[in-house]
Amino acid sequence: MHPMIKPALRRAWRDRQCVQFGVTPAHAVTLGPVDTATGALMELLDGTRGLPLLREEARAMGLPDGRAEALVHRLTAAGLLDDPTGGGPAAAALRKRAAAHDRLRPDIAALSVIHPEPGGAAGLVAARRAIGVQVRGAGRVGASIAATLSAAGVGRVEVLDGGITEPGDVAPGGLPAEAVGERRDTAARRLVRRAAPDRPPRAAEAQDPAGGPGLSLVVVAPRDGLAAYAPAASDAEGWIATGTPHLYTGVVEATGVVGPLVLPGCTACAGCMERGRAELDPGRGRLLAQWRSGRRRTVPACDVALATAVAGTAACHALSFLDGGAPVTTGARWEVSLPHLSWRSERIAPHLDCACSAAGKTERRHTSAVGPAHDTMNGYTRSAE
Ligand SMILES: [Zn+2]
């Protein structure tokens, strides 16, 4: 191990004895008391020295025996230590692909703030390469999500959509103006490839060791955001049956929606949502039928900035889940509307009459897991290597 104080966190002395690592309350850690000599020893924990050399340097500084180990132990316990050679075989393989590793450095640094284990962040980002995600919809929201997931190192991002790219599909993070007139799926595939930090993994590398359908997540981001705002239960039957996690997102009129992230059998699904809404609003079924009928089609209202914000948020939630976390959209929906843009959330309750059987189950909260080839989350086996 070559101990390195996590470079992602700014380091500053609060007073003569206390060091604060990090700026924001969400992730900052204070360590103290720290004497001056130990403070100087800290400067040497930059990933270039192994423990034997650190021990020698500590002795040369006049520090008592065992001080280097004690400091490393203390920093590890505080989640402040990283190991630039750690993270397992996937991280080692990523470091060998230097250009890709350089591209993903800021992403690894960001995860290092969240995951306390030395080398854990590199392991997680490297593991994304074996993950398969399907994005349904290549409009302003869907294409941007697909590109972002690909840029974040997700190795297999499929985009499904029909038809030909229209001028209104173009967005800075999504399909480019050159794609107008080209098949949407072809254009989206090229976008995903260009956004990737690396060439796509070979089939053997990407093989899903769980032997399942190989998709860790489906992102439902239809061009007509109504299908994300009021998703049809019938469209989700296959994902419920196969236990495939899915996340709804889109823009409908001037409202953006992210969530719910559905973990089949554990959290509320589209069917639960449909039933719950119908109970609250007797006119709901009649409205839905007319909204979905497609008569009197107008220009889809989809503000490009709102679509980009929604796509970025949805991609963050997807990555948090894929990395083993439990984003707040798990079983809940977040909405934001122009012009005030204040995000609001609504918990979606599982419905007793829904066949998904999420009702009555206690939602098992899971904490982030790092490293192993399979992390079990909410009863799902996720391929991580
Ligand atoms: Zn349900």
Side-chain angles (χ1 to χ4, degrees), residues 20-378:
Q20 180 172 320
F21 298 82
V23 173
T24 69
H27 302 297
V29 177
T30 302
L31 202 71
V34 177
D35 58 70
T36 316
T38 306
L41 184 58
M42 263 184 200
E43 297 297 325
L44 304 180
L45 300 184
D46 59 3
T48 59
R49 301 165 179 83
L51 258 181
L53 186 54
L54 284 171
R55 243 180 252 130
E56 228 171 82
E57 303 251 19
R59 206 171 301 130
M61 290 162 77
L63 285 165
D65 279 354
R67 183 62 65 91
E69 285 88 343
L71 178 61
V72 165
H73 181 74
R74 193 175 169 196
L75 289 166
T76 307
L80 292 169
L81 214 66
D82 214 339
D83 178 6
T85 59
L94 174 58
R95 281 190 288 270
K96 277 192 198 136
R97 304 194 306 275
H101 187 244
D102 281 347
R103 278 273 300 272
L104 291 167
R105 253 179 224 281
D107 303 270
I108 296 170
L111 277 188
S112 80
V113 170
I114 309 164
H115 294 276
E117 307 80 358
L124 277 176
V125 170
R128 290 176 181 170
R129 188 165 163 82
I131 288 177
V133 175
Q134 184 182 77
V135 180
R136 301 177 77 93
R140 289 186 167 186
V141 176
S144 296
I145 293 172
T148 305
L149 294 179
S150 178
V154 175
R156 193 158 48 88
V157 181
E158 298 170 13
V159 189
L160 297 189
D161 206 340
I164 301 295
T165 308
E166 291 176 18
D169 295 329
V170 173
L175 297 182
E178 305 86 81
V180 172
E182 188 183 11
R183 280 176 56 141
R184 283 195 182 94
D185 56 355
T186 310
R189 217 172 295 139
R190 192 171 56 243
L191 172 75
V192 163
R193 218 168 33 236
R194 282 191 181 161
D198 210 351
R199 56 174 175 72
R202 290 189 304 275
E205 257 182 291
Q207 213 167 34
D208 178 19
L215 284 179
S216 298
L217 178 69
V218 171
V219 180
V220 187
R223 273 176 288 119
D224 180 357
L226 176 67
Y229 188 79
S234 53
D235 292 346
E237 277 167 5
W239 305 319
I240 298 293
T242 55
T244 307
H246 47 288
L247 171 71
Y248 293 99
T249 184
V251 172
V252 61
E253 295 164 7
T255 291
V257 51
V258 182
L261 167 64
V262 179
L263 307 176
C266 291
T267 68
C269 73
C272 297
M273 221 183 327
E274 245 175 27
R275 286 173 173 81
R277 286 279 191 286
E279 279 173 5
L280 288 173
D281 176 4
R284 178 79 176 179
R286 186 183 292 251
L287 285 172
L288 264 181
Q290 295 169 73
W291 290 339
R292 288 176 183 160
S293 76
R295 275 184 297 141
R296 282 201 300 270
R297 282 303 297 269
T298 50
V299 177
C302 185
D303 182 279
V304 69
L306 181 61
T308 304
V310 164
T313 306
C316 272
H317 284 251
L319 287 170
S320 165
F321 170 71
L322 295 169
D323 291 337
V328 292
T329 42
T330 313
R333 188 159 81 172
W334 285 75
E335 277 180 41
V336 66
S337 297
L338 297 176
H340 297 299
L341 296 158
S342 153
W343 284 91
R344 54 196 182 272
S345 73
E346 180 196 356
R347 190 104 215 125
I348 312 284
H351 198 282
L352 276 170
D353 297 339
C354 185
C356 78
S357 74
K361 296 238 178 89
T362 315
E363 251 176 63
R364 271 178 293 156
R365 278 274 169 199
H366 59 267
T367 48
S368 309
V370 175
H374 292 274
D375 300 329
T376 303
M377 306 181 307
N378 288 325

